[in-house]
Amino acid sequence: VSELKNISILLEGNTPAKARIDQDMIKTVLRNLVSNAVKFSKQGTKVIVKIEDTGDSVVISVIDKGEGISEENQKRLFKSDSHFTSFGTENEEGSGLGLLLCKEFVTRNGGKIWFTSKQGEGSVFNFDIPVQK
């Protein structure tokens, strides 16, 4: 999909930190967050995947300069009783269920997930993974 919309996906940062994770779960989280960022971004923009080592955890951020999320809909994200259908910049459909799965998978791996968004400016979805001591 990123090729069809001419969206570049850039990786920033790295870390030698080690963590005990379920790789399939974390791959699913990352795939879903990047897919959402592409879905809600305009053609010709960039999606950045940023890795930051904080010492106690590794924070992974998926940053887009897309449509952003209205304040009303922000309150409904990550809640199983209030998922809703939304449409991307090319009418791609989303139900919000992928984010529920992301939250479950991140929690099972000892981390947390959060986001910031401003309508018309884009979103940043973050999750962290505790570093193995």
Side-chain angles (χ1 to χ4, degrees):
V1 174
S2 63
E3 294 91 11
L4 295 174
K5 293 176 82 171
N6 193 29
I7 293 175
S8 302
I9 300 173
L10 306 173
L11 179 62
E12 289 184 1
N14 60 54
T15 178
K18 299 200 183 308
R20 288 184 179 256
I21 59 169
D22 182 308
Q23 289 183 7
D24 291 330
M25 285 185 184
I26 297 305
K27 282 182 197 176
T28 299
V29 171
L30 196 52
R31 191 178 315 112
N32 190 286
L33 294 179
V34 170
S35 174
N36 283 352
V38 168
K39 183 187 307 181
F40 294 102
S41 290
K42 296 177 181 80
Q43 288 194 19
T45 58
K46 296 176 184 167
V47 170
I48 299 169
V49 178
K50 184 177 174 185
I51 300 168
E52 183 180 5
D53 187 340
T54 67
D56 291 330
S57 64
V58 173
V59 178
I60 299 168
S61 304
V62 178
I63 305 160
D64 71 65
K65 298 293 182 194
E67 296 184 334
I69 305 164
S70 71
E71 286 188 36
E72 178 185 332
N73 285 341
Q74 287 183 36
K75 296 172 189 169
R76 299 164 70 189
L77 290 184
F78 297 119
K79 296 191 169 105
S80 60
D81 61 343
S82 66
H83 69 273
F84 57 97
T85 300
S86 57
F87 296 92
T89 56
E90 300 288 325
N91 255 0
E92 308 97 324
E93 190 171 357
S95 66
L97 294 174
L99 288 176
L100 288 172
L101 187 65
C102 288
K103 181 179 180 183
E104 175 70 20
F105 283 179
V106 168
T107 301
R108 285 188 182 198
N109 281 276
K112 59 188 180 302
I113 189 167
W114 68 98
F115 71 95
T116 56
S117 185
K118 187 163 185 181
Q119 195 164 15
E121 294 184 17
S123 302
V124 180
F125 279 80
N126 312 280
F127 68 96
D128 67 358
I129 301 168
V131 171
Q132 187 176 344
K133 299 286 180 179

